[in-house]
Amino acid sequence: KMKDCIVIDVGGTSTDVAKVTHGIPEITDEGAVVGGWQTKVKAIRMETSAMGGDSHVWIKNGVISFGPRKVIPICMAAAKWPSLKDKVKKASIPSKIQLCENIQPTKFYIRTGSKPDIMGKTEKELFDRIGDEPTSISEIFTDGLPSSVFLELLIKKKLVHAIGFTPTDALHVLGDYTEWDNEASEIAAGILS
């Protein structure tokens, strides 16, 4: 067993890092901070990053961004919906002006199964174009791209889930983690590069 090490816990939405010395984790005397409040309760000294294995990796103006939103990794979605791999291969690349977190060549949408309450006309049109199989941006926006604000509303209302490239997909490309569909991750990485 290792007595001195760094412990890293990568979850879906965040990553925690702590140091262990002589088999004991470092403790902070000031206590944990919860919701911005100093608790004065002794706790493990830990650094937390808001990036996890399901954080969305997207590109705009040649800059790679992470999150802030969690998405279903492409490798996982392709294992569940095999037709996704062909859709990733055929993905059209939006113009640089249109690119944003919700409009990416490797971003797909799928209904959650929740029933919509009240929706505006544009929201309803977008929702009707998204099915129970992953739907690409080009399938959703057959007649041009309206503002991505409407997609954002569907996500916030939990009517659709987003599928996109994630650190989990990057691990599949590197061969460090291979639970789902490596090829789908590799195709998506090629498109993003």
Side-chain angles (χ1 to χ4, degrees):
K1 294 183 179 181
M2 297 181 79
K3 298 267 184 194
D4 299 325
C5 64
I6 301 292
V7 177
I8 301 172
D9 175 18
V10 180
T13 57
S14 65
T15 300
D16 301 317
V17 180
K19 182 179 175 185
V20 176
T21 306
H22 305 296
I24 300 170
E26 281 190 13
I27 304 294
T28 174
D29 293 329
E30 303 86 39
V33 176
V34 179
W37 294 91
Q38 191 77 46
T39 64
K40 302 293 183 192
V41 175
K42 285 188 177 185
I44 294 174
R45 183 179 307 275
M46 186 177 337
E47 293 296 323
T48 299
S49 166
M51 185 184 85
D54 295 346
S55 295
H56 184 214
V57 177
W58 54 285
I59 297 176
K60 180 170 176 80
N61 298 329
V63 176
I64 299 171
S65 297
F66 295 89
R69 206 170 258 124
K70 170 183 166 174
V71 295
I72 300 169
I74 287 177
C75 55
M76 183 189 292
K80 185 171 182 175
W81 298 285
S83 65
L84 177 61
K85 194 183 319 187
D86 285 334
K87 289 184 178 194
V88 174
K89 287 177 186 175
K90 296 174 186 172
S92 61
I93 299 174
S95 75
K96 289 180 181 183
I97 295 169
Q98 296 166 324
L99 290 175
C100 63
E101 184 181 3
N102 287 325
I103 299 175
Q104 291 286 306
T106 56
K107 191 123 183 213
F108 299 83
Y109 295 90
I110 190 161
R111 289 185 182 188
T112 63
S114 296
K115 301 293 179 206
D117 291 334
I118 299 170
M119 283 196 274
K121 180 183 177 202
T122 304
E123 277 180 276
K124 178 152 178 30
E125 287 175 5
L126 288 179
F127 182 76
D128 289 344
R129 293 177 185 182
I130 298 170
D132 296 325
E133 290 276 324
T135 309
S136 70
I137 291 296
S138 60
E139 291 172 305
I140 296 170
F141 300 117
T142 55
D143 50 359
L145 293 175
S147 169
S148 68
V149 169
F150 297 107
L151 273 173
E152 186 71 24
L153 289 170
L154 293 175
I155 294 167
K156 283 185 176 180
K157 290 179 178 181
K158 299 186 184 336
L159 296 172
V160 299
H161 284 304
I163 298 165
F165 195 83
T166 66
T168 299
D169 288 297
L171 289 173
H172 276 71
V173 171
L174 295 171
D176 291 338
Y177 186 66
T178 57
E179 179 146 345
W180 296 295
D181 191 324
N182 289 13
E183 186 183 6
S185 295
E186 291 169 4
I187 296 164
I191 291 168
L192 286 176
S193 68

